[in-house]
Amino acid sequence: MNNNSPNKVCIVTGGNSGVGLMTAVGLAKTGYRVFIACRSHRKAAKAVNFIRRRSGNANVESLPLNLASLESVRQFVNFFQNKNIALDLLVNNAGIFNKRGVTREGFELIWGTNYLGHFLLTYLLLDNLKQSRDAKIIMVASDLALRPQSIKWSLFVKKTPLNFLELYSLSKSCLLLLTVELARQLNNSNVTVNAVHPGFVRSNITIWHRLSKYLGLGISPKKGAYSTLYCATAAELEGVSGKFFDSKARSLPLPKLAEDLELARELWEKSLIWTGCEVKQKNIAPDYNKYDNIWGTYSLALDKKEIRELSQNIFKQVLPKPPNKLLILSWFKLLLKGEIGSACLLLVQVFKREFHMERHLDSAAVWKICQDENLLAKLREYLGEELALWRSELWVNYPAQQLIPFWHRDLYSKLLVGEGKTINVYIALTEVNEFNGFEFLEGNADSLSVKVTDPFSGNSFFDIPEELAKKAIPVVLKPGEFLLFTDELVHRSVCNTSGRVRLSLTLRVTQPSVKVLPGYSSNYREPVLL
């Protein structure tokens, strides 16, 4: 190995324990300025002190990074780039094995952490790497990357299935595909990228890995770091890219899946969409007042700080904590009353977790938004002094997903009876743009072909020609801005390609003279007067 690495800079994800920790120690010994990236500040501080003592190198720091949050990745990159230094080595080492759930943006947790977080990190740091005379990217993969025979795209936008091992294997296969695609894109540049399999290491990734040393199985974290350190420092690997090495730094043949260049390119393109990279956002709101059935843009009286705090409260307290007892009781009551449509809607709400109805009834944060003075003033201009809120809907649109892909109107002809006007309010609680919000068509629906009609609500879905769909107008709102629209507006949500979660609140408001019928509403109470 070449042990002469003066003034070089490296980042090691997961550098606070196991193979990552020993990789950081080895790089510090060769003279690298080392940044370890991990979630826990306490563990990071302990690891930094350990690396400094073991290596004799004081140039060791930590930066916070949660790979299960694309926003955390962006913040990490901002922290690093504010230091105005080149990057010579990026070691994508961190990973999880058997945890379950979804990431902050709604991707499957294992794949989202092991692959997608590292994809975004690598993509955002490419310019820093290109500033180096001789930069390297090292992906810590696994021999389990050899198992998958195909990529099951649908698994990546769902909660971890029972077979978590499949997702772990796919996450490592995707790292190999990323290695191949980056090697192709960075050919003839100063940046090389290779992948390593560290072997079965006595790490803390699972209880079996922890017990392995007592059973005489596996290798130590120090030996597990050997291949990574070799790829980082060996002079004979200068210019070598797109390779896969085992725990003893011997070249391994890439699996057939990773040799599929078209698949590697497809994964790259999908990853750009999922993370919102290279999206050219216009962020210029149209003049909605010139269209029929929609008005705005208006702003809540709440300031930016209040909107941010309310949104964080909804993400952390409201969405993860639905009123389960109330939901269960409501569901049984709906079944007893024979209100099948409402019971089905309640089940969809519970299982999809994309929309959350009537949260103004149990959330002070949502109710505060409903009581905003600017919002009420605009509603009274249209409906008069007496306002009846008959439904509220929190909508969470995760990246790579589309809430309601069908063109429709919010027309509930079988739910509302009586003389009076109704209006819908769409409130942006995070940024809404042409890549994560909704779009609408100019004009009315008289000439449109109906594809299907909901038998419970009377709401119709339309068959829209592609040429007409291309003329759709996007909704663009800043956090705290809102629009009013009638039940005649033909619209649909767009697939979220912004790389960020979109949160919005839709309020259905009417005059007290209009009555809400049972059958297709998960209302827990009568309409609330605002």
Short mmCIF file of all heavy atoms in Angstrom, two decimals, residues 28-91:
data_model
loop_
_atom_site.label_atom_id
_atom_site.label_comp_id
_atom_site.label_asym_id
_atom_site.label_seq_id
_atom_site.Cartn_x
_atom_site.Cartn_y
_atom_site.Cartn_z
N ALA A 28 -6.65 7.49 8.58
CA ALA A 28 -6.01 8.52 9.42
C ALA A 28 -4.53 8.23 9.59
O ALA A 28 -3.70 9.15 9.62
CB ALA A 28 -6.72 8.59 10.76
N LYS A 29 -4.19 6.96 9.71
CA LYS A 29 -2.77 6.58 9.86
C LYS A 29 -1.95 6.97 8.63
O LYS A 29 -0.75 7.25 8.76
CB LYS A 29 -2.65 5.09 10.11
CG LYS A 29 -3.01 4.65 11.52
CD LYS A 29 -2.83 3.15 11.69
CE LYS A 29 -3.12 2.71 13.12
NZ LYS A 29 -2.95 1.24 13.28
N THR A 30 -2.57 6.96 7.47
CA THR A 30 -1.83 7.31 6.24
C THR A 30 -1.76 8.81 6.02
O THR A 30 -1.19 9.26 5.02
CB THR A 30 -2.46 6.64 5.01
OG1 THR A 30 -3.76 7.19 4.79
CG2 THR A 30 -2.55 5.14 5.18
N GLY A 31 -2.40 9.59 6.89
CA GLY A 31 -2.31 11.04 6.78
C GLY A 31 -3.55 11.74 6.26
O GLY A 31 -3.55 12.96 6.10
N TYR A 32 -4.60 10.99 5.98
CA TYR A 32 -5.83 11.63 5.52
C TYR A 32 -6.43 12.52 6.59
O TYR A 32 -6.33 12.24 7.80
CB TYR A 32 -6.88 10.56 5.17
CG TYR A 32 -6.84 10.07 3.75
CD1 TYR A 32 -6.11 8.94 3.41
CD2 TYR A 32 -7.56 10.72 2.75
CE1 TYR A 32 -6.08 8.46 2.12
CE2 TYR A 32 -7.55 10.25 1.45
CZ TYR A 32 -6.81 9.12 1.13
OH TYR A 32 -6.80 8.67 -0.15
N ARG A 33 -7.06 13.59 6.15
CA ARG A 33 -7.97 14.34 7.01
C ARG A 33 -9.31 13.62 6.91
O ARG A 33 -9.92 13.55 5.84
CB ARG A 33 -8.11 15.79 6.55
CG ARG A 33 -9.07 16.62 7.41
CD ARG A 33 -9.18 18.05 6.89
NE ARG A 33 -10.12 18.82 7.68
CZ ARG A 33 -10.47 20.09 7.41
NH1 ARG A 33 -9.94 20.70 6.35
NH2 ARG A 33 -11.34 20.71 8.17
N VAL A 34 -9.78 13.08 8.03
CA VAL A 34 -10.91 12.15 8.00
C VAL A 34 -12.17 12.81 8.56
O VAL A 34 -12.15 13.39 9.64
CB VAL A 34 -10.58 10.88 8.82
CG1 VAL A 34 -11.79 9.94 8.85
CG2 VAL A 34 -9.36 10.18 8.26
N PHE A 35 -13.26 12.67 7.79
CA PHE A 35 -14.59 13.04 8.26
C PHE A 35 -15.41 11.76 8.37
O PHE A 35 -15.58 11.05 7.38
CB PHE A 35 -15.27 14.00 7.29
CG PHE A 35 -14.69 15.38 7.24
CD1 PHE A 35 -13.63 15.66 6.38
CD2 PHE A 35 -15.17 16.38 8.06
CE1 PHE A 35 -13.08 16.93 6.32
CE2 PHE A 35 -14.62 17.66 8.02
CZ PHE A 35 -13.57 17.93 7.15
N ILE A 36 -15.88 11.46 9.56
CA ILE A 36 -16.78 10.33 9.69
C ILE A 36 -18.21 10.87 9.73
O ILE A 36 -18.48 11.92 10.32
CB ILE A 36 -16.49 9.46 10.93
CG1 ILE A 36 -16.65 10.25 12.23
CG2 ILE A 36 -15.11 8.84 10.83
CD1 ILE A 36 -16.64 9.37 13.47
N ALA A 37 -19.11 10.16 9.06
CA ALA A 37 -20.50 10.60 8.95
C ALA A 37 -21.39 9.56 9.64
O ALA A 37 -21.38 8.39 9.27
CB ALA A 37 -20.89 10.72 7.48
N CYS A 38 -22.13 10.00 10.65
CA CYS A 38 -23.04 9.07 11.34
C CYS A 38 -24.15 9.85 12.02
O CYS A 38 -24.09 11.08 12.16
CB CYS A 38 -22.30 8.20 12.33
SG CYS A 38 -21.42 9.10 13.62
N ARG A 39 -25.18 9.13 12.46
CA ARG A 39 -26.37 9.77 13.03
C ARG A 39 -26.16 10.27 14.45
O ARG A 39 -26.57 11.37 14.80
CB ARG A 39 -27.54 8.78 13.03
CG ARG A 39 -28.12 8.48 11.66
CD ARG A 39 -29.20 7.42 11.77
NE ARG A 39 -28.68 6.17 12.28
CZ ARG A 39 -29.42 5.11 12.56
NH1 ARG A 39 -30.73 5.17 12.42
NH2 ARG A 39 -28.87 3.99 13.00
N SER A 40 -25.54 9.46 15.29
CA SER A 40 -25.45 9.76 16.72
C SER A 40 -24.26 10.66 17.04
O SER A 40 -23.11 10.30 16.78
CB SER A 40 -25.33 8.45 17.52
OG SER A 40 -25.00 8.70 18.86
N HIS A 41 -24.53 11.81 17.61
CA HIS A 41 -23.45 12.72 17.99
C HIS A 41 -22.58 12.10 19.08
O HIS A 41 -21.34 12.22 19.06
CB HIS A 41 -24.04 14.04 18.50
CG HIS A 41 -23.00 14.99 19.04
ND1 HIS A 41 -22.14 15.69 18.22
CD2 HIS A 41 -22.69 15.33 20.32
CE1 HIS A 41 -21.34 16.43 18.97
NE2 HIS A 41 -21.64 16.23 20.24
N ARG A 42 -23.23 11.40 20.03
CA ARG A 42 -22.47 10.79 21.12
C ARG A 42 -21.52 9.72 20.59
O ARG A 42 -20.34 9.68 20.96
CB ARG A 42 -23.45 10.17 22.14
CG ARG A 42 -22.76 9.48 23.32
CD ARG A 42 -23.80 8.85 24.23
NE ARG A 42 -24.58 7.84 23.56
CZ ARG A 42 -24.16 6.59 23.37
NH1 ARG A 42 -22.96 6.21 23.79
NH2 ARG A 42 -24.95 5.72 22.76
N LYS A 43 -22.01 8.84 19.73
CA LYS A 43 -21.17 7.79 19.18
C LYS A 43 -20.08 8.38 18.28
O LYS A 43 -18.95 7.88 18.25
CB LYS A 43 -22.02 6.80 18.38
CG LYS A 43 -22.94 5.96 19.25
CD LYS A 43 -23.76 4.99 18.41
CE LYS A 43 -24.69 4.15 19.27
NZ LYS A 43 -25.51 3.22 18.46
N ALA A 44 -20.43 9.45 17.57
CA ALA A 44 -19.44 10.08 16.69
C ALA A 44 -18.29 10.67 17.50
O ALA A 44 -17.12 10.52 17.14
CB ALA A 44 -20.12 11.16 15.85
N ALA A 45 -18.63 11.36 18.59
CA ALA A 45 -17.59 11.97 19.44
C ALA A 45 -16.66 10.91 20.01
O ALA A 45 -15.43 11.09 20.06
CB ALA A 45 -18.24 12.79 20.54
N LYS A 46 -17.24 9.81 20.45
CA LYS A 46 -16.44 8.71 21.00
C LYS A 46 -15.53 8.12 19.93
O LYS A 46 -14.35 7.82 20.19
CB LYS A 46 -17.38 7.64 21.55
CG LYS A 46 -16.69 6.49 22.25
CD LYS A 46 -17.72 5.52 22.83
CE LYS A 46 -17.04 4.33 23.50
NZ LYS A 46 -18.04 3.38 24.05
N ALA A 47 -16.09 7.95 18.72
CA ALA A 47 -15.29 7.39 17.62
C ALA A 47 -14.16 8.31 17.20
O ALA A 47 -13.05 7.86 16.91
CB ALA A 47 -16.21 7.09 16.44
N VAL A 48 -14.43 9.61 17.16
CA VAL A 48 -13.39 10.58 16.78
C VAL A 48 -12.20 10.49 17.73
O VAL A 48 -11.03 10.46 17.31
CB VAL A 48 -13.98 12.01 16.74
CG1 VAL A 48 -12.85 13.05 16.70
CG2 VAL A 48 -14.89 12.18 15.53
N ASN A 49 -12.49 10.44 19.02
CA ASN A 49 -11.41 10.32 20.01
C ASN A 49 -10.63 9.01 19.84
O ASN A 49 -9.40 8.99 19.96
CB ASN A 49 -11.98 10.41 21.43
CG ASN A 49 -12.49 11.80 21.76
OD1 ASN A 49 -11.98 12.79 21.23
ND2 ASN A 49 -13.48 11.88 22.63
N PHE A 50 -11.35 7.93 19.57
CA PHE A 50 -10.71 6.63 19.36
C PHE A 50 -9.78 6.67 18.14
O PHE A 50 -8.63 6.20 18.19
CB PHE A 50 -11.78 5.55 19.18
CG PHE A 50 -11.24 4.19 18.88
CD1 PHE A 50 -10.82 3.34 19.90
CD2 PHE A 50 -11.14 3.74 17.56
CE1 PHE A 50 -10.32 2.08 19.62
CE2 PHE A 50 -10.64 2.48 17.28
CZ PHE A 50 -10.23 1.65 18.30
N ILE A 51 -10.27 7.24 17.04
CA ILE A 51 -9.48 7.29 15.80
C ILE A 51 -8.23 8.15 16.01
O ILE A 51 -7.13 7.79 15.55
CB ILE A 51 -10.33 7.85 14.64
CG1 ILE A 51 -11.50 6.91 14.35
CG2 ILE A 51 -9.48 8.01 13.37
CD1 ILE A 51 -12.58 7.52 13.47
N ARG A 52 -8.38 9.25 16.69
CA ARG A 52 -7.24 10.13 16.95
C ARG A 52 -6.18 9.41 17.78
O ARG A 52 -4.97 9.52 17.49
CB ARG A 52 -7.70 11.41 17.65
CG ARG A 52 -8.47 12.36 16.75
CD ARG A 52 -9.05 13.53 17.56
NE ARG A 52 -9.72 14.49 16.70
CZ ARG A 52 -10.46 15.50 17.14
NH1 ARG A 52 -10.61 15.68 18.47
NH2 ARG A 52 -11.04 16.33 16.31
N ARG A 53 -6.63 8.70 18.81
CA ARG A 53 -5.67 7.99 19.67
C ARG A 53 -4.96 6.87 18.90
O ARG A 53 -3.74 6.72 18.99
CB ARG A 53 -6.39 7.40 20.89
CG ARG A 53 -6.85 8.41 21.90
CD ARG A 53 -7.17 7.73 23.25
NE ARG A 53 -8.01 6.56 23.09
CZ ARG A 53 -9.34 6.58 23.12
NH1 ARG A 53 -9.97 7.73 23.28
NH2 ARG A 53 -10.02 5.46 22.99
N ARG A 54 -5.72 6.07 18.17
CA ARG A 54 -5.15 4.92 17.48
C ARG A 54 -4.25 5.31 16.31
O ARG A 54 -3.29 4.60 15.98
CB ARG A 54 -6.27 4.01 16.95
CG ARG A 54 -7.00 3.23 18.02
CD ARG A 54 -6.16 2.10 18.59
NE ARG A 54 -5.88 1.08 17.60
CZ ARG A 54 -6.61 0.01 17.39
NH1 ARG A 54 -7.70 -0.20 18.13
NH2 ARG A 54 -6.27 -0.89 16.48
N SER A 55 -4.54 6.43 15.69
CA SER A 55 -3.78 6.83 14.49
C SER A 55 -2.71 7.87 14.76
O SER A 55 -1.78 8.04 13.95
CB SER A 55 -4.75 7.38 13.43
OG SER A 55 -5.32 8.61 13.86
N GLY A 56 -2.85 8.61 15.86
CA GLY A 56 -1.94 9.73 16.11
C GLY A 56 -2.22 10.91 15.21
O GLY A 56 -1.39 11.83 15.10
N ASN A 57 -3.38 10.91 14.55
CA ASN A 57 -3.75 11.98 13.62
C ASN A 57 -4.89 12.78 14.25
O ASN A 57 -5.96 12.25 14.54
CB ASN A 57 -4.20 11.35 12.29
CG ASN A 57 -4.53 12.39 11.23
OD1 ASN A 57 -4.70 13.57 11.52
ND2 ASN A 57 -4.64 11.94 9.99
N ALA A 58 -4.64 14.07 14.47
CA ALA A 58 -5.65 14.92 15.10
C ALA A 58 -6.68 15.44 14.11
O ALA A 58 -7.73 15.97 14.51
CB ALA A 58 -4.97 16.11 15.79
N ASN A 59 -6.41 15.29 12.80
CA ASN A 59 -7.33 15.81 11.79
C ASN A 59 -8.48 14.84 11.51
O ASN A 59 -8.64 14.31 10.41
CB ASN A 59 -6.56 16.09 10.48
CG ASN A 59 -5.71 17.33 10.58
OD1 ASN A 59 -6.08 18.29 11.26
ND2 ASN A 59 -4.57 17.32 9.92
N VAL A 60 -9.26 14.60 12.54
CA VAL A 60 -10.41 13.71 12.44
C VAL A 60 -11.63 14.46 12.99
O VAL A 60 -11.58 15.01 14.09
CB VAL A 60 -10.21 12.40 13.24
CG1 VAL A 60 -11.43 11.49 13.08
CG2 VAL A 60 -8.94 11.70 12.79
N GLU A 61 -12.69 14.52 12.20
CA GLU A 61 -13.91 15.23 12.59
C GLU A 61 -15.12 14.36 12.27
O GLU A 61 -15.03 13.35 11.56
CB GLU A 61 -14.03 16.55 11.82
CG GLU A 61 -12.85 17.48 11.94
CD GLU A 61 -12.97 18.67 11.01
OE1 GLU A 61 -14.03 19.33 11.02
OE2 GLU A 61 -12.01 18.94 10.26
N SER A 62 -16.26 14.78 12.78
CA SER A 62 -17.52 14.10 12.45
C SER A 62 -18.53 15.12 11.95
O SER A 62 -18.50 16.29 12.33
CB SER A 62 -18.08 13.37 13.67
OG SER A 62 -18.50 14.29 14.66
N LEU A 63 -19.42 14.65 11.10
CA LEU A 63 -20.53 15.46 10.61
C LEU A 63 -21.79 14.59 10.69
O LEU A 63 -21.74 13.40 10.40
CB LEU A 63 -20.29 15.91 9.17
CG LEU A 63 -19.22 16.98 8.93
CD1 LEU A 63 -19.03 17.21 7.44
CD2 LEU A 63 -19.59 18.28 9.62
N PRO A 64 -22.92 15.19 11.08
CA PRO A 64 -24.15 14.39 11.23
C PRO A 64 -24.71 13.96 9.88
O PRO A 64 -24.78 14.74 8.93
CB PRO A 64 -25.11 15.36 11.94
CG PRO A 64 -24.62 16.73 11.56
CD PRO A 64 -23.12 16.61 11.44
N LEU A 65 -25.10 12.70 9.81
CA LEU A 65 -25.68 12.17 8.57
C LEU A 65 -26.63 11.03 8.91
O LEU A 65 -26.24 10.05 9.54
CB LEU A 65 -24.59 11.66 7.62
CG LEU A 65 -25.08 10.94 6.36
CD1 LEU A 65 -25.87 11.89 5.47
CD2 LEU A 65 -23.91 10.32 5.59
N ASN A 66 -27.86 11.17 8.44
CA ASN A 66 -28.85 10.09 8.52
C ASN A 66 -29.20 9.72 7.08
O ASN A 66 -29.92 10.44 6.40
CB ASN A 66 -30.09 10.54 9.27
CG ASN A 66 -31.16 9.47 9.33
OD1 ASN A 66 -30.94 8.33 8.91
ND2 ASN A 66 -32.34 9.82 9.82
N LEU A 67 -28.69 8.59 6.62
CA LEU A 67 -28.89 8.19 5.23
C LEU A 67 -30.34 7.82 4.94
O LEU A 67 -30.71 7.67 3.76
CB LEU A 67 -27.97 7.01 4.89
CG LEU A 67 -26.49 7.37 4.75
CD1 LEU A 67 -25.62 6.12 4.81
CD2 LEU A 67 -26.24 8.13 3.44
N ALA A 68 -31.15 7.65 5.96
CA ALA A 68 -32.57 7.37 5.76
C ALA A 68 -33.38 8.64 5.56
O ALA A 68 -34.61 8.60 5.53
CB ALA A 68 -33.13 6.58 6.94
N SER A 69 -32.71 9.76 5.41
CA SER A 69 -33.37 11.05 5.14
C SER A 69 -32.60 11.78 4.05
O SER A 69 -31.44 12.15 4.24
CB SER A 69 -33.41 11.90 6.42
OG SER A 69 -33.69 13.26 6.11
N LEU A 70 -33.23 11.98 2.92
CA LEU A 70 -32.57 12.70 1.83
C LEU A 70 -32.27 14.14 2.24
O LEU A 70 -31.27 14.72 1.80
CB LEU A 70 -33.45 12.69 0.57
CG LEU A 70 -33.76 11.29 -0.01
CD1 LEU A 70 -34.63 11.42 -1.26
CD2 LEU A 70 -32.47 10.54 -0.34
N GLU A 71 -33.11 14.70 3.10
CA GLU A 71 -32.86 16.06 3.57
C GLU A 71 -31.61 16.10 4.43
O GLU A 71 -30.82 17.05 4.37
CB GLU A 71 -34.07 16.58 4.34
CG GLU A 71 -34.10 18.09 4.49
CD GLU A 71 -34.09 18.82 3.15
OE1 GLU A 71 -34.79 18.39 2.23
OE2 GLU A 71 -33.34 19.81 3.04
N SER A 72 -31.41 15.07 5.25
CA SER A 72 -30.20 14.99 6.07
C SER A 72 -28.96 14.86 5.18
O SER A 72 -27.91 15.46 5.48
CB SER A 72 -30.28 13.79 7.02
OG SER A 72 -29.07 13.62 7.73
N VAL A 73 -29.07 14.12 4.10
CA VAL A 73 -27.95 14.00 3.16
C VAL A 73 -27.60 15.36 2.58
O VAL A 73 -26.43 15.74 2.50
CB VAL A 73 -28.28 13.00 2.03
CG1 VAL A 73 -27.17 12.99 0.98
CG2 VAL A 73 -28.49 11.60 2.59
N ARG A 74 -28.62 16.10 2.18
CA ARG A 74 -28.37 17.45 1.62
C ARG A 74 -27.72 18.36 2.66
O ARG A 74 -26.82 19.14 2.34
CB ARG A 74 -29.69 18.05 1.13
CG ARG A 74 -30.30 17.31 -0.05
CD ARG A 74 -31.53 18.06 -0.58
NE ARG A 74 -32.17 17.30 -1.63
CZ ARG A 74 -33.21 16.49 -1.46
NH1 ARG A 74 -33.73 16.36 -0.24
NH2 ARG A 74 -33.74 15.83 -2.47
N GLN A 75 -28.17 18.28 3.89
CA GLN A 75 -27.58 19.10 4.96
C GLN A 75 -26.13 18.73 5.20
O GLN A 75 -25.27 19.60 5.39
CB GLN A 75 -28.40 18.96 6.24
CG GLN A 75 -29.78 19.57 6.17
CD GLN A 75 -30.62 19.28 7.40
OE1 GLN A 75 -30.17 18.60 8.33
NE2 GLN A 75 -31.85 19.78 7.42
N PHE A 76 -25.84 17.42 5.18
CA PHE A 76 -24.47 16.96 5.35
C PHE A 76 -23.57 17.54 4.26
O PHE A 76 -22.47 18.05 4.53
CB PHE A 76 -24.42 15.44 5.31
CG PHE A 76 -23.01 14.87 5.33
CD1 PHE A 76 -22.39 14.56 6.52
CD2 PHE A 76 -22.31 14.67 4.14
CE1 PHE A 76 -21.10 14.06 6.54
CE2 PHE A 76 -21.01 14.17 4.15
CZ PHE A 76 -20.41 13.86 5.36
N VAL A 77 -24.04 17.46 3.02
CA VAL A 77 -23.25 17.98 1.90
C VAL A 77 -23.03 19.48 2.04
O VAL A 77 -21.94 20.00 1.78
CB VAL A 77 -23.93 17.64 0.56
CG1 VAL A 77 -23.22 18.34 -0.61
CG2 VAL A 77 -23.93 16.13 0.34
N ASN A 78 -24.06 20.20 2.49
CA ASN A 78 -23.91 21.65 2.70
C ASN A 78 -22.86 21.93 3.77
O ASN A 78 -22.02 22.83 3.61
CB ASN A 78 -25.24 22.26 3.12
CG ASN A 78 -26.21 22.39 1.96
OD1 ASN A 78 -25.80 22.45 0.81
ND2 ASN A 78 -27.50 22.43 2.26
N PHE A 79 -22.89 21.17 4.87
CA PHE A 79 -21.88 21.34 5.94
C PHE A 79 -20.48 21.14 5.36
O PHE A 79 -19.57 21.93 5.63
CB PHE A 79 -22.12 20.33 7.06
CG PHE A 79 -23.31 20.63 7.92
CD1 PHE A 79 -24.06 19.58 8.47
CD2 PHE A 79 -23.70 21.93 8.19
CE1 PHE A 79 -25.16 19.84 9.26
CE2 PHE A 79 -24.81 22.19 8.97
CZ PHE A 79 -25.55 21.14 9.51
N PHE A 80 -20.32 20.08 4.58
CA PHE A 80 -18.99 19.77 4.04
C PHE A 80 -18.56 20.81 3.02
O PHE A 80 -17.41 21.28 3.04
CB PHE A 80 -18.99 18.37 3.41
CG PHE A 80 -17.65 17.99 2.84
CD1 PHE A 80 -16.64 17.53 3.68
CD2 PHE A 80 -17.39 18.11 1.48
CE1 PHE A 80 -15.39 17.20 3.16
CE2 PHE A 80 -16.15 17.78 0.96
CZ PHE A 80 -15.15 17.32 1.81
N GLN A 81 -19.46 21.18 2.13
CA GLN A 81 -19.08 22.13 1.07
C GLN A 81 -18.80 23.51 1.61
O GLN A 81 -18.05 24.28 0.99
CB GLN A 81 -20.17 22.16 0.00
CG GLN A 81 -20.24 20.88 -0.81
CD GLN A 81 -21.32 20.88 -1.87
OE1 GLN A 81 -22.29 21.64 -1.78
NE2 GLN A 81 -21.18 20.02 -2.87
N ASN A 82 -19.36 23.84 2.75
CA ASN A 82 -19.06 25.15 3.37
C ASN A 82 -17.62 25.23 3.85
O ASN A 82 -17.13 26.33 4.14
CB ASN A 82 -20.01 25.40 4.54
CG ASN A 82 -21.41 25.78 4.08
OD1 ASN A 82 -21.60 26.24 2.96
ND2 ASN A 82 -22.40 25.58 4.93
N LYS A 83 -16.94 24.09 3.92
CA LYS A 83 -15.53 24.09 4.32
C LYS A 83 -14.61 24.44 3.15
O LYS A 83 -13.41 24.66 3.34
CB LYS A 83 -15.15 22.72 4.89
CG LYS A 83 -15.90 22.39 6.19
CD LYS A 83 -15.50 21.04 6.74
CE LYS A 83 -16.24 20.74 8.04
NZ LYS A 83 -15.86 21.65 9.14
N ASN A 84 -15.18 24.47 1.93
CA ASN A 84 -14.43 24.87 0.73
C ASN A 84 -13.15 24.06 0.53
O ASN A 84 -12.06 24.62 0.35
CB ASN A 84 -14.10 26.37 0.79
CG ASN A 84 -15.35 27.24 0.75
OD1 ASN A 84 -16.23 27.02 -0.07
ND2 ASN A 84 -15.41 28.20 1.65
N ILE A 85 -13.29 22.75 0.60
CA ILE A 85 -12.14 21.87 0.38
C ILE A 85 -12.51 20.82 -0.66
O ILE A 85 -13.68 20.48 -0.83
CB ILE A 85 -11.68 21.18 1.69
CG1 ILE A 85 -12.85 20.43 2.35
CG2 ILE A 85 -11.06 22.18 2.66
CD1 ILE A 85 -12.47 19.68 3.61
N ALA A 86 -11.49 20.32 -1.32
CA ALA A 86 -11.70 19.23 -2.27
C ALA A 86 -11.92 17.94 -1.49
O ALA A 86 -11.65 17.85 -0.30
CB ALA A 86 -10.50 19.09 -3.20
N LEU A 87 -12.43 16.94 -2.19
CA LEU A 87 -12.63 15.63 -1.57
C LEU A 87 -11.86 14.59 -2.38
O LEU A 87 -12.03 14.49 -3.60
CB LEU A 87 -14.13 15.28 -1.56
CG LEU A 87 -14.51 13.91 -0.97
CD1 LEU A 87 -14.09 13.81 0.49
CD2 LEU A 87 -16.02 13.67 -1.10
N ASP A 88 -11.00 13.85 -1.71
CA ASP A 88 -10.15 12.88 -2.40
C ASP A 88 -10.69 11.45 -2.34
O ASP A 88 -10.40 10.64 -3.22
CB ASP A 88 -8.73 12.90 -1.79
CG ASP A 88 -8.11 14.28 -1.89
OD1 ASP A 88 -7.65 14.64 -2.98
OD2 ASP A 88 -8.10 15.00 -0.87
N LEU A 89 -11.49 11.17 -1.33
CA LEU A 89 -11.97 9.80 -1.15
C LEU A 89 -13.32 9.80 -0.46
O LEU A 89 -13.49 10.43 0.58
CB LEU A 89 -10.96 9.00 -0.31
CG LEU A 89 -11.37 7.59 0.11
CD1 LEU A 89 -11.56 6.68 -1.10
CD2 LEU A 89 -10.33 6.99 1.08
N LEU A 90 -14.26 9.06 -1.06
CA LEU A 90 -15.58 8.86 -0.45
C LEU A 90 -15.79 7.37 -0.27
O LEU A 90 -15.79 6.61 -1.24
CB LEU A 90 -16.68 9.45 -1.34
CG LEU A 90 -18.13 9.15 -0.92
CD1 LEU A 90 -18.42 9.75 0.46
CD2 LEU A 90 -19.11 9.70 -1.95
N VAL A 91 -15.95 6.96 0.98
CA VAL A 91 -16.19 5.55 1.29
C VAL A 91 -17.64 5.40 1.74
O VAL A 91 -18.02 5.82 2.84
CB VAL A 91 -15.24 5.03 2.39
CG1 VAL A 91 -15.53 3.56 2.67
CG2 VAL A 91 -13.79 5.24 1.99
#
